[in-house]
Amino acid sequence: MHAAAFTRHIRRNLFAYIALLPMAIVVVFAYLGTMLWSVRLSFSSSRLLPKDDFVGFAQYTRLFETSRWITSLENLAIIAFFFLLICFVLGTLLAIFIDQSVRAESLFRTVFLYPYAMSFVVAGLIWQWILNPDLGIQATMRDLGFPDFVLDWTVNPDKVLYAIILATVWHGSGLVMALILAGLRGIDTQIWSATRIDGIPPWRVYLSIILPMLRPMIITSLVLLSISIVKMYDVVVAMTNGGPGTASEVPAKFIMDNLFERANIGLATAASTVLLITVLLIMVPVLYSQYFRKNGRAS
């Protein structure tokens, strides 16, 4: 009887592995294979077509000597800082607000999360129209009798990054709200009862007790937002196309321009390898800490 059960268990697992085999092949060859191939091309002198030569770190040296690439990294750092900070704070506050058993809770959840359901292209186009000086808020306010009203962020080199930050925060804060709200709904109500008896202020409860308990949700939201920032391309192209000049240039646009418009495969793959390393620097410590904490608790 035990032998028959063991045989069924082995057969069931075997069928599961066979079912997963096509996906595993795709991951190994389509993802890891192309990733390694791109890294290999970054050490070649490839231009319009791939070459099988080896030039060492020449493409990386040229990359970091390109002012446009340095500008794109600086822009990305500014966007990332404000995007992560505002998204986390705003998303957390929205989650706390909805968690207070407000009326029309489902409506608020839908409204706050709906922007995240859109693609970055759609979000960029919406805000490109809203902030367009000739069509959006500025034109509307001037038509209403305010001729000196100015909102030219998308065409002002000094303010264009704020326009992109505004659009990305509008798009991403709903994700933080949903994840934090899911965590808040899992908090034991006895914790709140005990803090009320002890007379602890609500803000102190959130900072000292609730947020530390929501660490997995916070890490997940920050990782997802960080990855979306690293590969940011659609919203920039839709809103400003990297302009005015290179004022809103980002690394992903630099890569796409060199890959398809400037026919410089070697430089583009070197830039993409730098982004790959950036993503790994974000993901590996987080995954390691989660694995370490999990195994530490298990032991």
Side-chain angles (χ1 to χ4, degrees):
M1 185 68 181
H2 292 290
F6 178 76
T7 302
R8 287 195 301 269
H9 177 72
I10 294 296
R11 184 179 302 174
R12 184 168 57 249
N13 288 343
L14 179 62
F15 290 153
Y17 290 137
I18 293 175
L20 291 174
L21 185 61
M23 185 184 68
I25 294 175
V26 170
V27 169
V28 171
F29 290 98
Y31 288 93
L32 295 180
T34 54
M35 186 186 304
L36 294 175
W37 185 64
S38 297
V39 174
R40 169 64 183 89
L41 289 179
S42 69
F43 293 98
S44 70
S45 61
S46 302
R47 296 284 299 183
L48 179 62
L49 296 174
K51 292 183 179 179
D52 196 26
D53 59 350
F54 181 78
V55 296
F57 290 93
Q59 296 289 4
Y60 293 91
T61 302
R62 181 184 174 191
L63 177 67
F64 283 95
E65 290 177 349
T66 304
S67 59
R68 185 182 172 192
W69 172 252
I70 301 301
T71 299
S72 71
L73 293 178
E74 293 173 350
N75 291 340
L76 188 68
I78 295 172
I79 293 173
F81 174 78
F82 287 103
F83 172 72
L84 293 175
L85 177 64
I86 299 174
C87 268
F88 176 72
V89 174
L90 181 59
T92 302
L93 292 177
L94 291 175
I96 294 173
F97 165 72
I98 295 178
D99 193 48
Q100 306 304 309
S101 300
V102 297
R103 293 183 179 179
E105 176 184 326
S106 59
L107 175 62
F108 283 115
R109 285 203 311 265
T110 302
V111 170
F112 295 147
L113 189 58
Y114 184 74
Y116 188 74
M118 300 180 183
S119 67
F120 259 138
V121 173
V122 175
L125 290 174
I126 291 174
W127 283 99
Q128 194 275 341
W129 178 84
I130 293 174
L131 300 177
N132 189 315
D134 299 323
L135 301 173
I137 295 176
Q138 176 176 298
T140 302
M141 294 301 292
R142 291 185 176 184
D143 291 340
L144 292 175
F146 300 92
D148 297 328
F149 183 85
V150 177
L151 188 63
D152 59 349
W153 289 6
T154 55
V155 296
N156 189 329
D158 297 327
K159 298 179 180 179
V160 65
L161 291 183
Y162 299 120
I164 295 175
I165 291 169
L166 179 62
T168 52
V169 166
W170 178 77
H171 181 271
S173 57
L175 172 65
V176 180
M177 180 272 298
L179 292 173
I180 298 298
L181 181 60
L184 289 174
R185 292 296 165 84
I187 300 295
D188 192 345
T189 56
Q190 293 183 358
I191 294 177
W192 286 107
S193 301
T195 56
R196 292 190 188 98
I197 293 174
D198 293 336
I200 304 176
W203 66 268
R204 186 63 182 273
V205 176
Y206 279 109
L207 289 179
S208 302
I209 301 176
I210 303 301
L211 289 182
M213 295 177 66
L214 300 179
R215 185 174 180 271
M217 290 75 179
I218 294 174
I219 291 177
T220 300
S221 61
L222 291 179
V223 168
L224 292 176
L225 293 178
S226 299
I227 293 175
S228 68
I229 285 294
V230 171
K231 64 180 184 180
M232 178 183 292
Y233 172 78
D234 302 346
V235 66
V236 173
V237 172
M239 290 185 68
T240 64
N241 198 30
T246 60
S248 60
E249 183 80 5
V250 290
K253 187 177 184 301
F254 177 91
I255 293 171
M256 298 298 287
D257 287 350
N258 279 277
L259 188 61
F260 294 106
E261 295 182 8
R262 302 186 178 187
N264 196 335
I265 295 177
L267 192 65
T269 52
S272 64
T273 302
V274 172
L275 288 190
L276 172 63
I277 295 173
T278 304
V279 172
L280 292 178
L281 290 176
I282 295 172
M283 292 293 298
V284 171
V286 173
L287 295 176
Y288 176 79
S289 64
Q290 293 294 323
Y291 177 80
F292 180 78
R293 289 177 69 250
K294 182 178 179 181
N295 285 309
R297 290 180 178 179
S299 60

